[in-house]
Amino acid sequence: MPEEKCSCPECHTHLVQVANPKIREEVKFVPARLKLIEHHQAVYKCPNCSSSYHSEISKAPMTRSLITHSKVGSPSIVAHIAAMKYVYKVPCYRQESM
């Protein structure tokens, strides 16, 4: 998260990271090999406001995935599957077995 946004909007105290959950994984196509890239999103909270009921939770910005709600669809793997199907005429069941 950018340093200027890493402060509490109420009391301007520096936020402390409390979690870093994995948001999604992408399978990236590199000719003759696949690479798994994990995406994590940092979550921050204010240590001074955490005792009150209106404690603010802030999350670092994330890049959007190519396909909404897709856990593994990166642009490179989708392009490879489409090229194999429509350019090289390889049916999906053969791609799956490859």
Side-chain angles (χ1 to χ4, degrees):
M1 202 166 184
E3 191 64 36
E4 62 271 3
K5 290 190 176 189
C6 206
S7 62
C8 179
E10 305 239 350
C11 68
H12 305 291
T13 304
H14 184 72
L15 299 177
V16 176
Q17 185 173 344
V18 293
N20 193 15
K22 183 182 355 175
I23 301 301
R24 71 175 190 274
E25 295 177 335
E26 288 182 354
V27 176
K28 190 169 190 170
F29 178 75
V30 179
R33 66 178 188 202
L34 294 173
K35 186 177 182 180
L36 180 66
I37 300 171
E38 292 184 350
H39 294 268
H40 295 265
Q41 184 178 31
V43 179
Y44 298 89
K45 77 170 187 171
C46 177
N48 289 346
C49 296
S50 62
S51 60
S52 65
Y53 291 104
H54 63 286
S55 179
E56 290 281 330
I57 299 282
S58 300
K59 294 182 180 181
M62 285 290 298
T63 58
R64 294 181 58 207
S65 64
L66 178 67
I67 302 170
T68 308
H69 302 295
S70 173
K71 299 270 185 189
V72 295
S74 69
S76 63
I77 197 73
V78 172
H80 174 69
I81 291 168
M84 292 294 285
K85 179 161 177 57
Y86 297 108
V87 176
Y88 301 111
K89 309 293 190 255
V90 179
C92 290
Y93 75 92
R94 283 197 198 149
Q95 288 186 49
E96 186 178 347
S97 67
M98 289 168 38

